[in-house]
Amino acid sequence: MRNELFNQMLSTYDLTTEQQKLNATFEVNQQIILAGLYNGGFFNEAAFYGGTCLRIFHGLQRFSEDMDFSLLAPNDKFDFTYFFQPIIDQFALVGRNIEIKKKDKKNDARSRLPNMEKSRQRKRLQHPTLFHPSARKGLAVQS
């Protein structure tokens, strides 16, 4: 029974090639992440936008790994780590045990941007390749 629901979600995709399997896994993971964020109340504070949003909600024929979010209003106290547990819980519901690690900002090139750019980045939450173990930016969710 473990992973049965996850595998059912994957079965709706063409899994002929290894690349198709990888893309389908990314997309199912993105759907689970969005469900976890929704259940955690994230969308009371932020909006989902960008290429992945267009693909998932409007059928754009383009694969995208990153998930872009923007706060609905400035909030200096916003802490994305608060939403880690709802994401972890959502993966558990489909039979997947995951771990989420926050990336160390010291090694992130964006932390060395000029002040104006830092200010713009604070207002825009970007978590590329949220679930991929080899993620270079954002958060890595490993199953």
Side-chain angles (χ1 to χ4, degrees):
M1 180 143 164
R2 181 164 161 64
N3 292 321
E4 184 177 323
L5 184 54
F6 187 86
N7 290 334
Q8 285 177 345
M9 293 171 78
L10 279 177
S11 72
T12 64
Y13 294 87
D14 180 359
L15 304 174
T16 306
T17 68
E18 287 303 313
Q19 187 62 51
Q20 288 170 321
K21 289 176 188 174
L22 182 63
N23 290 350
T25 301
F26 280 142
E27 188 158 320
V28 168
N29 283 337
Q30 289 171 332
Q31 293 169 11
I32 295 167
I33 290 165
L34 289 171
L37 290 172
Y38 174 80
N39 290 335
F42 177 78
F43 295 108
N44 294 327
E45 299 186 50
F48 179 39
Y49 72 99
T52 302
C53 178
L54 291 171
R55 186 191 75 248
I56 291 174
F57 291 106
H58 301 286
L60 181 70
Q61 295 300 307
R62 166 189 180 276
F63 181 75
S64 177
E65 291 182 2
D66 67 320
M67 300 175 77
D68 301 313
F69 303 97
S70 182
L71 291 176
L72 299 175
N75 181 351
D76 292 335
K77 295 180 182 180
F78 181 83
D79 182 5
F80 188 73
T81 62
Y82 171 81
F83 300 98
F84 285 10
Q85 195 58 53
I87 294 169
I88 291 167
D89 293 345
Q90 195 67 39
F91 273 95
L93 288 174
V94 298
R96 308 283 284 189
N97 294 318
I98 64 158
E99 178 182 329
I100 302 175
K101 295 180 180 180
K102 183 176 179 183
K103 180 158 181 163
D104 179 10
K105 285 187 177 186
K106 287 187 285 186
N107 297 323
D108 187 350
R110 288 179 296 174
S111 67
R112 295 185 294 273
L113 296 173
N115 285 337
M116 187 170 80
E117 184 69 9
K118 283 186 197 176
S119 175
R120 189 167 57 97
Q121 288 292 338
R122 261 186 252 129
K123 293 178 186 171
R124 179 176 172 226
L125 303 173
Q126 187 177 31
H127 302 284
T129 35
L130 218 66
F131 42 78
H132 194 274
S134 65
R136 287 185 235 142
K137 303 187 246 181
L139 307 172
V141 177
Q142 302 175 352
S143 57

